[in-house]
């Protein structure tokens, strides 16, 4: 069973206070002005990809759905808002009955995106949609950054599995989200048990240097670990002398030793030396796992090394230098009045400094060339051209406040592999470059 199907609650009673104060003060002013009920459309997009990146990866959509479902102003939250005099009594009364009853469309999780892509479209009254801005952005910006880093690392690793090991390098709740996003981006497993419990991601782990240092000798430590976990375990061999540790490991576990892990030093050189030593000792099937501050570039540099798996922590959970995707949540259309049948009017911010936006409720499609390879991200607010109708990217996620787009996490993971494979070959180059697809507006 994949627990992503269950819509498990987040680890707080409500997501309602994952909100900036100005969202509530805007709500209060709109209620007083009589504009709160105007039908509105907000869109999430980024104006640019992180410097040098060729594509982005949508991560966190499933968590957004959980957050929307748990966005409730319970008595404790309302008491806090009243005590702090953040909003007035009429607004508190309105919040007490808050439920998002609108519609949400978006790029499905695991899909790739580009500058301007309407990654998420939230439709409802201004009042109910504006409140979701901060929680939506916090999830999508974080998870998409990690998923993009994971994707680049997965490309660099090729067929070799990647282990997410970043829990100790970030906030405890962010660690769970990061493990989930890494799995979407191509990682095979995580060391974080909370992520394994919540999202059914495979978990791995054996021992740290502390376990070796606890014992009177490395041999004693290895003996204890093999006795407990079996010969198929992974032994950490760089606490003292690597060559001596490998000899001891094979002496104790024999050719059935599962793997050795190297966590420091010149990984390229050590991997070759350890592989040769293992083979000479008859442990040809014993695998080599490397860790130690890896990123996509370090992983790529080890492509020719006899390495079987990589463990990645800090660089993964911090987006490999880009911990956010700079996504924004902007009002792009609203009705001139409060009736549900009022026509929508495009609206857009106009300002200096590259922070303008394009108004109108938008669709998005990916145009393919004659060989079936993506050649452009096409975005429009009018009729969809016939040749793009079957290439549209947004899917229905919430209808009338009801979640309709929840899916198993493996579906997002598989989607990403397919989406990345459909891009031009230059998309997977690690060298700096422009987005691999141009964005065209119709």
């Amino acid at each position: 069973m994949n627990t992503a199907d269950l819509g498990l609650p987040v680890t707080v009673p409500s997501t309602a206070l994952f909100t900036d104060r100005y969202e509530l003060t805007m709500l209060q002013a709109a209620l007083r002005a009589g504009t709160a009920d105007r039908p509105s459309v907000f869109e999430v997009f980024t104006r640019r990809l992180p410097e040098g990146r060729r594509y982005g990866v949508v991560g966190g959509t499933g968590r957004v759905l959980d957050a929307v479902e748990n966005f409730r102003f319970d008595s404790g939250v309302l008491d806090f808002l009243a005590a702090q005099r953040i909003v007035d009594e009429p607004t508190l009364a309105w919040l007490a009955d808050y439920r998002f009853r609108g519609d949400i469309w978006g790029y499905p999780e695991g899909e790739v995106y580009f500058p301007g892509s309407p990654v998420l479209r939230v439709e409802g009254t201004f009042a109910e949609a504006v409140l979701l801005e901060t929680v939506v952005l916090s999830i999508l910006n974080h998870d998409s950054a990690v998923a993009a880093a994971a994707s680049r690392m997965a490309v660099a690793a090729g067929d070799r599995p990647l282990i997410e090991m970043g829990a100790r390098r970030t906030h405890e709740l962010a660690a769970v989200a990061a493990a989930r996003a890494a799995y979407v981006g191509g990682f095979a497993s995580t060391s974080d048990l909370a992520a394994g419990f919540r999202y059914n991601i495979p978990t791995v782990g054996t021992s740290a240097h502390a376990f070796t240092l606890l014992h009177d000798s490395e041999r004693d430590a290895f003996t204890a670990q093999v006795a407990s976990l079996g010969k198929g375990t992974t032994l950490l061999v760089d606490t003292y002398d690597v060559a001596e540790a490998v000899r001891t490991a094979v002496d104790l576990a024999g050719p059935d030793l599962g793997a050795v892990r190297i966590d420091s030093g010149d990984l390229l050189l050590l991997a070759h030396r350890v592989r040769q030593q293992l083979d000479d000792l008859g442990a040809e099937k014993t695998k080599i796992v490397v860790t130690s501050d890896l990123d996509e570039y370090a992983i790529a540099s080890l492509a020719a090394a006899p390495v079987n798996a990589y463990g990645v922590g800090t660089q993964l959970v911090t987006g490999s230098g880009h911990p956010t995707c700079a996504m924004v949540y902007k009002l792009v259309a609203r009705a001139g009045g409060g009736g549900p049948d009022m026509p929508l009017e495009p609206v857009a911010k106009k300002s200096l400094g590259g922070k303008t936006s394009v108004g109108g409720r938008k669709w998005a499609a990916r145009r393919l060339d004659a060989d079936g390879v993506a050649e452009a991200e096409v975005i429009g607010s009018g009729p969809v051209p016939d040749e793009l109708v079957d290439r549209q990217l947004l899917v229905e996620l919430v209808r009338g406040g009801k979640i309709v787009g929840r899916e198993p996490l493996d579906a997002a993971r598989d989607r990403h592999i397919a989406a990345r494979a459909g891009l031009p070959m230059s998309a997977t180059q690690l060298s700096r470059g422009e987005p691999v697809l141009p964005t065209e507006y119709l």
Side-chain angles (χ1 to χ4, degrees), residues 206-222:
T206 52
S207 67
H209 294 103
F211 187 76
T212 300
L213 296 170
L214 168 69
H215 292 80
D216 295 336
S217 70
E218 195 167 50
R219 175 175 287 273
D220 289 346
F222 288 178

Side-chain angles (χ1 to χ4, degrees), residues 10-12 18 63 142-143 167 170-180 192 194-195 198-199:
V10 293
T11 54
V12 293
F18 292 164
R63 294 209 309 121
H142 173 269
D143 289 24
T170 188
H171 185 279
E172 65 272 18
L173 297 183
V176 182
R180 182 186 183 281
D192 191 286
R198 181 172 175 78
Y199 297 115

